[in-house]
């Protein structure tokens, strides 16, 4: 099934895959949200061709996941994650937790999420709807140990 065909289904998972299921999209989003915002740095991080990265960034901009801007005084553009892109964080964390469960690193977890204020480690969880807003306000930090 092509990405365009995913959006034809009424299923929200299928519709999400129409935007997020493209090759490299989630990894580009991960890097953007971790401050890697220059084309060359993204390419170095992901080890993908310039052509493929160009195509993916253009599609992500079209889909509203990133914004290309040229800051004053710079010749080259940077790519900034939009709010729509930042909302992908829970998806990335869910994928990380799934991977840690089913394909763990024998040394230690590769991704840890901690509360910025309390310093305790966090896990994704389903919470009652009336508590979700308060939980969503928690500031957190993601630490990667696979780089």
């Amino acid at each position: 099934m092509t990405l365009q065909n995913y959006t034809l289904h009424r299923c929200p998972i299928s519709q999400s895959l129409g935007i997020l299921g493209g090759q490299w999209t989630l990894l580009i989003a991960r890097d953007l949200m971790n401050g890697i915002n220059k084309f060359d740095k993204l390419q170095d991080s992901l080890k993908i061709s310039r052509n493929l990265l160009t195509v993916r960034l253009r599609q992500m901009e079209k889909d509203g996941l990133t914004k290309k801007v040229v800051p004053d005084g710079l010749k080259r553009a940077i790519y900034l994650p939009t709010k729509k892109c930042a909302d992908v964080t829970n998806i990335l964390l869910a994928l990380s937790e799934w991977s840690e469960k089913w394909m763990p690193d024998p040394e230690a977890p590769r991704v840890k999420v901690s509360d910025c204020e309390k310093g305790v480690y966090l896990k994704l969880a389903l919470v009652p709807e009336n508590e979700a807003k308060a939980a969503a306000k928690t500031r957190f930090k993601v630490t990667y140990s696979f780089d």
Side-chain angles (χ1 to χ4, degrees):
M1 184 179 304
T2 66
L3 292 178
Q4 186 175 5
N5 288 341
Y6 280 120
T7 59
L8 299 176
H9 296 270
R10 290 193 64 232
C11 169
I13 295 170
S14 180
Q15 291 174 338
S16 297
L17 286 172
I19 293 176
L20 301 174
Q23 187 179 24
W24 298 102
T25 300
L26 291 175
L27 295 178
I28 293 169
R30 175 203 65 194
D31 281 0
L32 289 173
M33 289 183 285
N34 282 297
I36 302 173
N37 59 14
K38 294 181 181 175
F39 187 93
D40 291 341
K41 299 288 186 191
L42 287 164
Q43 186 187 16
D44 288 346
S45 172
L46 299 169
K47 312 281 190 268
I48 63 175
S49 73
R50 294 181 71 79
N51 291 343
L52 180 55
L53 181 56
T54 298
V55 169
R56 293 310 313 140
L57 285 168
R58 283 183 184 154
Q59 186 62 48
M60 289 175 73
E61 188 171 14
K62 182 180 171 186
D63 291 334
L65 295 171
T66 187
K67 183 176 179 180
K68 181 180 178 179
V69 294
V70 181
D72 291 338
L74 292 181
K75 294 180 183 178
R76 296 183 184 247
I78 61 171
Y79 298 87
L80 301 174
T82 62
K83 173 69 172 122
K84 187 175 183 178
C85 186
D87 282 349
V88 172
T89 300
N90 284 349
I91 296 167
L92 295 174
L93 294 176
L95 288 168
S96 295
E97 286 188 13
W98 182 85
S99 178
E100 294 291 355
K101 178 179 180 179
W102 295 104
M103 297 165 277
D105 186 319
E107 303 292 320
R110 295 162 285 188
V111 178
K112 292 183 178 180
V113 182
S114 58
D115 184 305
C116 287
E117 293 174 12
K118 300 175 185 170
V120 297
Y121 289 116
L122 305 171
K123 296 287 263 176
L124 287 178
L126 296 174
V127 297
E129 190 172 355
N130 62 343
E131 295 175 21
K133 223 176 213 177
K137 291 180 182 178
T138 301
R139 292 190 50 231
F140 60 90
K141 175 183 168 188
V142 181
T143 306
Y144 298 96
S145 63
F146 55 84
D147 295 329

